Amino acid sequence: MPRVQEKAKILESHKEAEGTYRLVLYAPKIVPTARPGQFVMVRVASEGADPLLARPFSFHRLHKEDGLCEILLRVVGAGTRLLSQRQPGSSVDVVGPLGRGFTAPTRSDETVVFVAGGIGIAPLRALLDHLLATTHKGHPERLHLYYGARSASELIALHDLKRAGVVSVVSTDDGSAGERGTVLDAVQKRWNASSQMPNRLYACGSLPMQVNLARWVRRRDIWVEMSLESMMACGIGACLGCALPAVDPEDPQAQRYLHVCQDGPVLDPKRIRWDKVQPLIARPLISASL
Amino acid sequence: MGQSATPHSSAPDLRVSLGPLHLANPVLTASGTFGYGLEFSDFLDLSRLGGIVVKGISLKPRPGNPPPRLAETPCGMLNAIGLENVGVERFLRDKLPPLRQRGAVIIVNILGNTVEEYAELASVLSGVSGIAALEINISCPNVKRGGMAFGTDPHMAAQVVAAVRARTSLPLITKLSPNVTSIAEIARAAHDAGSDILSCINTVSAMAVDPFSRRPKLANIVGGLSGPAIKPIALRCVYETVRAVSCPVIGIGGIQTAMDALEFLVVGASAVQVGTANLVHPRASLHILEGIEKFCRHQGIGAITDYIGTLDTACRFPFADESCSVEPPAREPV
């Protein structure tokens, strides 16, 4: 699929939750070939050299016929703050579509679980939209969304998904909305005791969430894909900065890396050396959106 | 030439000759910032560039350093990739043929842990068609063995260059490190040992720290700083290098725009390499080339070679005496 660089016009900018913004971009060259799970690199500063690097953002929603896409951004640093302040009508430099997207189910009878931690809802929403319009049209009850955040103020209202019939379970660390606890607590509460596992599970969230989830799914017979995050400079496989420790099937002790931009961002968790990812968690997330 | 010239209607001649290396124009891409070239083929016609310097190649594949490998800094970025590459065998089998097909002028950056590894690589690559030159990387700050260890000692630098020279007749470029007291000294050593061309600079050894976690932002603790933040350092290094040696010099460091590239050319670089800008804008190198062409037309410069090395350092101060000269006056012993 050809990757394109274009000036995308910001059509809308909305504050969706505390510190979280949704931007609607007109990117007619990029959107038609984009798939859920893929991402774009957005250059925040139109001129000047600070901040220098573009930031990766997953497609949150895709409106292919209109050449529109939506991205979600959480303000965590100077770059995302600048982007959140950009006014509708202005343009940003965008490169995409990049990376590997989700592998969608092919059968409507599959029960599909989505696990979203905070801003991790971003790429999962695009996939949910896709399934509601294709395989699971008429069977939304087989789509289960587990959505967690630190508190109610950080949750994005997803009334339309509920109205569409998607089974939604909300959890917050402080109990201000939904069940108190982590999103993983909610998943375990529902599925630990179940005699039947979901067929597929898609996840995106913080690194600690992904590590714990990877541990949980490892012992279960579920087909899983996770959208992972990493600091990136180019997004196109040139800098090799977005490395994650990878499993080498031939030599478990070998030092191997996957690159989130090219091999991912959607990856089978079995390909990651989660024991080597652990030290990264001790740091505040070195987020691509910093 | 200069302000008084009239704009040229015909296309300016952008050809440059760097000793034995003849290029259609002076814009190349810097190693480590352009992958194996193919990553950029969706965005630009690779044959338009003066040349592309591919990612550093070693004899055996290298996995690179543990993450985090990147951090953003004011007007720059810090990396400690650790020379991850597929190794020379896979490079020749998978990367070089499609690159050659795209008509790109290919320069291979080579690296090793020992002098013999550099020499062996030169030997393996010499017989391969479609390689225009080798760039010897003795300046990477992110590896424990080889890399900068060779580039900061004039004797070691000379040893590597001489060993490579003995094994190939390809044009040789030696990429210099700014992390030295005197870049001129290393430049002379590399040139005397047989390097046809020098390129400077590689990244500047640097560090970034997270004050909350109290940890370095890179797993490698220190890394290489690149981007606009290092351009003034790079210009100074090019200025010192062109005065120290008689061979052509390629300027590298923080070039984002045609104006940045022109600064290097006027100081005396015969060509430039675009680095970090490629990561930010995949078409940056082509934009820079087009900008140089436009500048030449606008300034009435018929050939870029008329512009290279025309830095005017004469003092304009009306009461100038020796203390105003470019060379600082010799200090009296205290």
Side-chain angles (χ1 to χ4, degrees), chain A residues 1-5 41 43 46 48-55 93 95-96 98 231-245 255-257 259 262 279-280 282-284 286 290, chain B residues 32-35 38-43 55 63-77 81 84-85 210 212-213 215-219 226-228 256 276 279-283:
Chain A
M1 215 57 81
R3 299 161 303 171
V4 182
Q5 181 175 21
M41 295 296 289
R43 173 113 159 100
S46 52
D50 210 16
L52 180 66
L53 303 175
R55 268 66 170 160
D93 195 59
V95 176
L98 302 172
M231 174 82 190
M232 287 180 196
C234 69
I236 62 171
C239 71
L240 307 180
C242 57
L244 269 185
Q255 190 187 347
R256 292 277 179 277
Y257 295 103
H259 300 99
Q262 266 193 322
L280 296 172
R283 306 159 189 272
I286 310 290
L290 273 177
Chain B
T33 64
F34 209 65
L38 302 164
E39 292 84 347
F40 288 78
S41 55
D42 278 350
F43 301 101
K55 179 134 194 60
N65 289 333
R69 296 174 168 187
L70 286 177
E72 187 164 350
T73 56
C75 301
M77 63 173 259
I81 307 298
E84 174 178 347
N85 77 94
D210 185 311
F212 294 100
S213 66
R215 301 182 68 155
K217 286 191 177 175
L218 299 177
S226 64
Q256 291 234 108
T276 298
L279 307 177
V280 182
H281 295 289
R283 291 168 60 81

Side-chain angles (χ1 to χ4, degrees), chain B residues 3-17:
Chain B
Q3 299 296 322
S4 59
T6 50
H8 256 249
S9 53
S10 61
D13 182 359
L14 295 183
R15 289 174 300 172
V16 288
S17 287

Side-chain angles (χ1 to χ4, degrees), chain B residues 140-163:
Chain B
C140 177
N142 296 328
V143 290
K144 286 196 183 78
R145 293 189 299 158
M148 206 167 77
F150 291 129
T152 50
D153 175 340
H155 303 291
M156 292 294 290
Q159 253 188 50
V160 175
V161 175

